[in-house]
């Protein structure tokens, strides 16, 4: 798998490099809701099965094995920016009112997410009424300083 970045993505990364003191790193495939979105973090360890697959403005891009398997050999994607495309995220670029996205070689956004409905049974739902909640005895005696 190979990842490159657009000039627009590089400009945002360069701004983040000027604004931040720590080491920046991109990771792809680690988001819970946007599994293929690139995330730009400061002082972040990408994980044991992640490998560097490219860079954007000198910042390394990492991806885990399962995602690298989707793009064999030199097949690649491009990190780009969508202005004003806000989502809840801890990725640094959202501070600048934009969002990093991946594009395939044709320029189309990469979307490997399947639409899944989440049908949680009442018996395990966090929304069901649980009645009066109390701490276990051992926790009631704990003193915090």
């Amino acid at each position: 798998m190979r990842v490159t970045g657009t000039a627009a993505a590089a400009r945002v990364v360069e701004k983040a490099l000027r604004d931040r003191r720590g080491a920046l790193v991109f990771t792809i495939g680690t988001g819970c809701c946007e599994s293929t979105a690139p995330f730009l973090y400061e002082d972040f360890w990408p994980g044991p099965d992640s490998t560097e697959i490219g860079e954007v403005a000198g910042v390394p891009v990492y991806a885990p094995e399962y995602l690298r398997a989707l793009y064999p050999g030199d097949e690649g994607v491009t990190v780009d920016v969508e202005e004003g495309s806000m989502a809840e995220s801890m990725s640094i670029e959202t501070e600048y009112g934009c969002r990093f996205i991946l594009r395939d070689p044709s320029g189309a956004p990469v979307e490997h997410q399947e639409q899944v409905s989440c049908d949680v049974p009442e018996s395990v739902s966090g929304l069901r009424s649980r009645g009066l909640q109390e701490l276990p005895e051992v926790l009631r005696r704990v003193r915090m300083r």
Side-chain angles (χ1 to χ4, degrees):
M1 179 177 191
R2 179 181 48 82
V3 171
T4 58
T6 64
R11 284 190 297 274
V12 173
V13 170
E14 289 162 357
K15 180 169 179 43
L17 285 166
R18 287 189 303 271
D19 292 347
R20 298 288 177 136
R21 296 188 193 281
L24 298 185
V25 64
F26 271 103
T27 182
I28 301 172
T30 58
C32 61
C33 298
E34 299 177 275
S35 64
T36 57
F39 290 89
L40 181 63
Y41 294 127
E42 182 178 17
D43 296 328
F44 178 80
W45 180 63
D49 76 331
S50 289
T51 298
E52 187 173 340
I53 55 172
E55 60 92 16
V56 177
V59 172
V61 180
Y62 290 85
E65 170 58 34
Y66 87 88
L67 187 61
R68 294 191 317 267
L70 296 174
Y71 300 91
D74 276 342
E75 200 173 320
V77 293
T78 303
V79 175
D80 197 4
V81 173
E82 282 189 343
E83 297 293 330
S85 177
M86 295 305 295
E88 290 185 25
S89 177
M90 294 186 293
S91 190
I92 292 171
E93 81 283 0
T94 58
E95 297 172 5
Y96 307 126
C98 59
R99 189 79 177 96
F100 288 120
I101 63 167
L102 290 183
R103 296 197 183 276
D104 68 19
S106 75
V110 173
E111 296 178 16
H112 279 291
Q113 297 177 358
E114 296 177 20
Q115 295 298 322
V116 178
S117 70
C118 184
D119 186 16
V120 179
E122 173 85 18
S123 62
V124 296
S125 173
L127 300 176
R128 67 179 161 76
S129 175
R130 296 179 179 197
L132 181 62
Q133 299 290 300
E134 292 187 25
L135 287 174
E137 180 65 31
V138 69
L139 292 178
R140 280 188 243 156
R141 292 180 284 159
V142 171
R143 298 289 178 238
M144 302 293 288
R145 291 185 194 190

